[in-house]
Amino acid sequence: MLLETRYAYDETKEFYLAKEVVSFFEDMIENAKEDGVDLWVVSAYRSFETQTDLKSAYTVTYGSGANAFSADQGYSEHQLGTTIDFTTKDLGGGLSGFQNTPAYTWLTEKAHKYGFTLSYPPNNAYYIFEPWHWRFVGTELARDLHDDDKYFYDLDQRTLDEYLISIFD
């Protein structure tokens, strides 16, 4: 589902999320704004082709080092339509330094209430720390991860399936 342009850092770009996620996303953004925190989308759903092009460009520039921060096509959470990369106006639309912003602090404290969780925390086994990269997993799973001080990839697939099947059936 196409997001309203008012959520985009660059209003000339179109961003999409799975329709099941949009109302949670909008509630989160509006409540953050009420708390004085502005969150802006710089990336959301990516098609297989878009992810292929992105990964290819990173590989040309960074060689195999691109594997530390970019998934191959077919493996990116962005292809699920449930993941958003955020920025702030203070960062000029960039990602670097996001962990030092009030937006990141707000997300770590409250995103779980809207079903979102940080995918790649510091020292995870998959990619570099991506403080801007938040994935919708449903309010129940997000709450349990937050309360247990765990992350999505800390859980085994059977446990995850018990939560996720009810969202995307």
Side-chain angles (χ1 to χ4, degrees), residues 82-106:
T82 59
T83 303
I84 304 163
D85 289 347
F86 290 107
T87 191
T88 67
K89 296 282 186 188
D90 290 341
L91 295 177
L95 302 174
S96 181
F98 188 79
Q99 70 274 18
N100 301 318
T101 67
Y104 175 72
T105 301
W106 191 93

Side-chain angles (χ1 to χ4, degrees), residues 21-165:
V21 177
V22 173
S23 65
F24 295 93
F25 163 78
E26 289 175 339
D27 287 347
M28 182 172 70
I29 297 300
E30 295 307 318
N31 286 324
K33 191 175 296 279
E34 289 171 9
D35 288 344
V37 174
D38 287 322
L39 293 165
W40 302 96
V41 177
V42 290
S43 186
Y45 169 76
R46 295 183 196 145
S47 69
F48 188 90
E49 294 78 19
T50 298
Q51 189 66 27
T52 299
D53 293 345
L54 185 62
K55 181 62 182 263
S56 294
Y58 287 150
T59 301
V60 166
T61 304
Y62 301 102
S64 63
N67 293 330
F69 63 88
S70 183
D72 290 333
Q73 59 279 9
Y75 294 92
S76 172
E77 288 186 350
H78 285 283
Q79 290 179 253
L80 300 171
T82 59
T83 303
I84 304 163
D85 289 347
F86 290 107
T87 191
T88 67
K89 296 282 186 188
D90 290 341
L91 295 177
L95 302 174
S96 181
F98 188 79
Q99 70 274 18
N100 301 318
T101 67
Y104 175 72
T105 301
W106 191 93
L107 286 166
T108 59
E109 293 172 357
K110 299 188 179 182
H112 67 282
K113 296 176 182 179
Y114 308 94
F116 286 85
T117 188
L118 178 67
S119 292
Y120 304 114
N123 305 312
N124 74 83
Y126 303 100
Y127 297 105
I128 61 169
F129 172 40
E130 294 188 354
W132 56 83
H133 184 98
W134 293 77
R135 176 181 179 174
F136 180 81
V137 296
T139 54
E140 188 179 349
L141 177 54
R143 179 202 63 225
D144 290 351
L145 290 169
H146 182 266
D147 291 350
D148 295 340
D149 197 27
K150 291 187 176 183
Y151 295 94
F152 186 81
Y153 293 107
D154 291 338
L155 303 181
D156 64 61
Q157 190 62 52
R158 286 180 193 242
T159 302
L160 293 171
D161 288 348
E162 291 174 14
Y163 288 98
L164 299 179
I165 194 71

